[in-house]
Amino acid sequence: RSKEMIKKIMLIVLFFQLLLAQGKNYQSVAGLIANINMIDNISNNVANADTVGFKETNLIISTHTKKPDSGYSKKQLNYEKNTNEAANFIRQTIHKLPKTTGSFRNNKNGSVQLTGNPLNFAFVAENKWFIIKKPNKKEYSFTRDGRFILLNGILRTLNGHLVMSPGLSKIEVATKNIKPEELGVVDIDINKLKNMGDNLFSFKEKEEIKAIAGNQDYVLKGALENSNVNSILQMTKLISAHRLIDTYKKSIQTTQDMDKASQDVMGLK
């Protein structure tokens, strides 16, 4: 009888080890996915480190509960042992999973590089944007890339988009002697904009465009704003993310080995 009892106890222990291993896999897989997203984001920042006016993006990785307990609100373990409240706290804690819950852009100005080109313009203030309009399109876009060209007497971006005036009309000039106040500029929080690609942004929600006056206070002629990406910091984050991925992979492999060993002992295989 004692041998049978010991065998039953061992099976029960192995059973709970199996359940624990499965629970750990959820956390490891979630962490793996979150860090893969982090690597994609960092790679995009590094790839745009030399893009004029580019603002680096950062991910928000937080935790959420896989199976939240209704009615639970306290954050500190101040419960008596062997109570439902204490059990709920522990259960909620071990089921917390890392998850990418959002992103935000670093709005700090990049360094300014003098070029001497009269068709180059750089912002020296945050949340300022040139107003751009694609040909044959009604919608306006915004950019901090001040590399402009004259094409048939019309001021355009390098991609051929129209650069708009404060009155939202195209800018027609005969010479390159363009003053900053002739450019249409808006003041918009970067987090209210969505990325359209090609270093262009648009409103997340429809809003009225109001060009601001006194552009000469915000725009520097003959210069360009570099990206605000800190390449060294991004590479440090990239190395850290790769190390975390290796850690999560090893954790998954370990729990899989525990799973197989438990099943072998329990005679499931």
Side-chain angles (χ1 to χ4, degrees):
R1 288 184 179 180
S2 59
K3 290 183 178 180
E4 291 179 358
M5 183 62 68
I6 293 174
K7 185 177 180 180
K8 287 182 179 180
I9 293 174
M10 289 180 61
L11 289 174
I12 292 172
V13 171
L14 289 172
F15 176 73
F16 280 103
Q17 285 180 340
L18 178 60
L19 290 179
L20 181 60
Q22 294 297 328
K24 286 184 177 179
N25 259 348
Y26 281 118
Q27 293 174 318
S28 297
V29 171
L32 194 63
I33 293 172
N35 279 277
I36 289 174
N37 291 335
M38 179 67 75
I39 288 176
D40 287 341
N41 179 73
I42 294 171
S43 299
N44 182 64
N45 286 336
V46 173
N48 285 283
D50 294 326
T51 300
V52 175
F54 180 82
K55 303 298 181 185
E56 71 173 22
T57 304
N58 296 282
L59 296 185
I60 302 172
I61 297 181
S62 55
T63 58
H64 75 287
T65 307
K66 180 163 66 72
K67 291 182 179 180
D69 297 297
S70 60
Y72 176 75
S73 60
K74 294 189 177 180
K75 297 181 179 180
Q76 296 181 346
L77 186 55
N78 56 355
Y79 302 109
E80 296 182 4
K81 294 182 180 180
N82 302 321
T83 63
N84 289 333
E85 290 80 3
N88 285 343
F89 177 87
I90 295 172
R91 184 162 61 252
Q92 207 177 50
T93 301
I94 65 174
H95 284 302
K96 282 187 175 180
L97 307 176
K99 180 182 179 182
T100 304
T101 56
S103 64
F104 66 94
R105 287 186 177 271
N106 181 355
N107 197 30
K108 292 184 179 179
N109 285 354
S111 60
V112 173
Q113 177 182 355
L114 298 177
T115 64
N117 187 332
L119 294 181
N120 287 167
F121 297 89
F123 284 114
V124 292
E126 298 177 359
N127 294 326
K128 304 299 186 292
W129 304 83
F130 297 113
I131 306 173
I132 307 298
K133 187 174 182 290
K134 294 183 178 181
N136 303 320
K137 296 288 185 180
K138 295 182 180 180
E139 299 80 13
Y140 295 97
S141 305
F142 312 102
T143 187
R144 288 180 68 94
D145 187 347
R147 295 174 296 174
F148 301 143
I149 59 174
L150 275 178
L151 187 61
N152 297 326
I154 300 176
L155 191 65
R156 297 177 182 268
T157 67
L158 293 181
N159 292 328
H161 306 324
L162 297 172
V163 180
M164 309 308 290
S165 70
L168 302 182
S169 61
K170 61 184 178 182
I171 300 175
E172 297 183 82
V173 292
T175 67
K176 295 182 178 181
N177 188 25
I178 301 172
K179 299 178 180 180
E181 53 265 35
E182 296 180 67
L183 304 173
V185 174
V186 290
D187 187 331
I188 308 172
D189 186 342
I190 192 172
N191 293 307
K192 291 184 177 181
L193 301 175
K194 61 181 179 181
N195 191 358
M196 299 176 59
D198 294 330
N199 218 3
L200 295 177
F201 292 79
S202 65
F203 283 123
K204 290 181 179 179
E205 298 179 2
K206 191 174 181 180
E207 294 187 28
E208 182 181 357
I209 297 177
K210 296 180 180 180
I212 59 177
N215 297 346
Q216 65 274 11
D217 297 332
Y218 311 111
V219 181
L220 181 63
K221 184 175 180 177
L224 292 174
E225 179 193 10
N226 295 321
S227 76
N228 65 354
V229 175
N230 185 329
S231 297
I232 296 177
L233 179 60
Q234 293 297 313
M235 292 306 297
T236 301
K237 289 182 177 180
L238 187 63
I239 293 171
S240 177
H242 275 293
R243 286 177 176 172
L244 283 172
I245 284 179
D246 289 339
T247 299
Y248 285 124
K249 284 182 177 179
K250 291 177 181 178
S251 176
I252 291 172
Q253 185 61 53
T254 299
T255 54
Q256 288 177 344
D257 292 342
M258 290 174 61
D259 186 357
K260 184 177 182 301
S262 298
Q263 292 182 18
D264 288 343
V265 173
M266 294 172 66
L268 299 179
K269 288 188 178 181

